[in-house]
Amino acid sequence: LTGSRDALSLQGRGRAQDKVAAKMSFLCRVAASSSSSLCAFRTWPCILNAARAYSAGGQYQHILVEKKGEQKNVGFIQLNRTKALNALCDLLMKELSLALDGFEDDPAVGAIVLTGSEKAFAAGADIKEMEMKTFQECYAGNFLSHWNRVATIKKPVIAAVNGYALGGGCELAMMCDIIFAGEKAQFGQPEILLGTIPGAGGTQRLTRAVGKSLAMEMVLTGDRISAQEAKAAGLVSKIYPAARVVEEAIKCGEKIAGNSKLITAMAKEAVNGAFELTLAEGNRLEKRLFHSTFSTTDRKEGMSAFVEKRKANFTDQ
């Protein structure tokens, strides 16, 4: 019996070590991606801080991560630099990528909610951190390229926005698939006031969401728009009282997670294709994905359940 307990203990430690090793492997890949030795040298302190946090039990320094919903099928990530109004520093974005990767690999999670505090979703990038960067360093290190992980994850991501979503915070919200906003939320791209321009998709995603005229006005003046203006322009899908935004986002996540995760990923790919393809190319993509659903067990189950007037039991196959 003692031997069995020891064996189980060793197995548990082995699994924990495997998780830490996987996270450390990701951190090493991040460091290796820096083509500039100067960039790598400056990045290592952040990487080492993250490594210490993960080896101490998987805790994050700048984000809170858990599962929500009755079935615990909604991944939940809260930005947690409240004193800095959730300014997006490099370590926070690396931690966000790790958390997203974890939920992407979790078969129980069908959707993800990303939020900040009631005062600020994210007030922008960390200006103090980037103030002294040079062109050579930014270009050689492909500065901000790793921010795009939010946009490339296959599972749907819902932004629950309260307060400020400015600069990088607005760009982060726009990388998500759905945006729910609190009544007092504000959106803006004020980089022009700092002598620069948006660098994480602001000029591209904002224009596609609200049209050229409003996007140009926001980018060239740095002016903000309210949640109501954002909804009227098509940037936001729904507005709720501040205290309900996260709750409603989780409910939406639960509804999405109740469908087939496989088919949901196909649907997301098809809709995203509309932003990058011509109408003819987008229709071809949609048709191929639609035809592909007929090779899945979930398509058969969904249609059979409809005909038999019962609830579908999807298995993500």
Side-chain angles (χ1 to χ4, degrees):
L1 182 60
T2 301
S4 298
R5 283 199 299 266
D6 290 343
L8 290 171
S9 177
L10 286 171
Q11 288 175 0
R13 286 199 296 269
R15 284 192 294 269
Q17 289 169 354
D18 288 343
K19 291 180 180 177
V20 171
K23 292 172 181 175
M24 290 299 295
S25 175
F26 171 82
L27 294 169
C28 291
R29 290 198 301 273
V30 170
S33 68
S34 299
S35 57
S36 163
S37 59
L38 177 60
C39 180
F41 175 77
R42 291 183 178 180
T43 303
W44 268 111
C46 289
I47 295 173
L48 290 174
N49 286 338
R52 293 189 193 103
Y54 303 138
S55 62
Q59 299 302 308
Y60 297 96
Q61 184 175 338
H62 294 313
I63 61 175
L64 303 175
V65 180
E66 59 181 309
K67 292 182 186 179
K68 296 279 192 177
E70 291 184 7
Q71 305 297 322
K72 299 297 181 184
N73 55 3
V74 178
F76 183 79
I77 303 173
Q78 182 174 9
L79 308 183
N80 191 36
R81 292 189 74 200
T82 52
K83 291 183 179 180
L85 295 179
N86 291 328
L88 303 174
C89 66
D90 193 56
L91 178 57
L92 184 152
M93 296 307 294
K94 286 183 170 66
E95 290 183 344
L96 178 58
S97 292
L98 283 171
L100 289 169
D101 287 342
F103 285 138
E104 180 86 306
D105 295 336
D106 189 336
V109 171
I112 300 165
V113 170
L114 175 62
T115 192
S117 67
E118 192 165 319
K119 188 173 183 179
F121 175 75
D126 192 325
I127 304 303
K128 292 181 181 179
E129 189 176 75
M130 68 170 64
E131 180 185 6
M132 302 306 296
K133 285 187 178 292
T134 65
F135 161 73
Q136 292 84 352
E137 185 180 352
C138 291
Y139 186 78
N142 202 10
F143 184 45
L144 299 187
S145 61
H146 62 291
W147 282 34
N148 205 46
R149 181 61 182 125
V150 181
T152 60
I153 188 170
K154 287 187 176 182
K155 293 179 180 179
V157 182
I158 305 164
V161 177
N162 270 317
Y164 304 119
L166 307 176
C170 186
E171 291 172 308
L172 181 62
M174 290 190 293
M175 291 179 199
C176 299
D177 302 299
I178 300 170
I179 302 178
F180 285 0
E183 292 173 331
K184 296 183 179 180
Q186 296 182 38
F187 299 84
Q189 298 290 163
E191 289 86 351
I192 195 76
L193 305 178
L194 302 177
T196 187
I197 69 171
T203 62
Q204 304 304 302
R205 291 191 177 93
L206 185 63
T207 304
R208 285 165 169 77
V210 306
K212 177 184 175 182
S213 182
L214 181 55
M216 194 71 80
E217 180 184 356
M218 292 174 66
V219 170
L220 297 186
T221 65
D223 288 348
R224 307 170 187 175
I225 60 174
S226 67
Q228 292 73 22
E229 291 171 311
K231 186 177 187 301
L235 181 62
V236 167
S237 60
K238 290 183 180 177
I239 298 175
Y240 296 100
R244 287 180 51 202
V245 176
V246 172
E247 175 189 347
E248 295 296 336
I250 292 171
K251 286 181 182 178
C252 180
E254 287 184 286
K255 187 178 293 187
I256 292 171
N259 298 321
S260 165
K261 298 177 184 63
L262 178 63
I263 305 302
T264 295
M266 291 182 180
K268 174 176 172 173
E269 182 182 352
V271 173
N272 281 337
F275 287 91
E276 300 178 2
L277 304 172
T278 66
L279 179 60
E281 292 169 337
N283 280 330
R284 280 195 292 271
L285 172 64
E286 179 187 82
K287 203 71 71 193
R288 284 197 296 270
L289 290 169
F290 169 66
H291 292 162
S292 297
T293 66
F294 283 78
S295 67
T296 68
T297 301
D298 282 344
R299 194 281 309 171
K300 296 175 183 176
E301 166 62 14
M303 291 190 176
S304 294
F306 178 82
V307 172
E308 297 167 9
K309 294 181 172 56
R310 59 178 176 80
K311 184 178 179 180
N313 180 27
F314 296 120
T315 58
D316 306 322
Q317 298 294 323

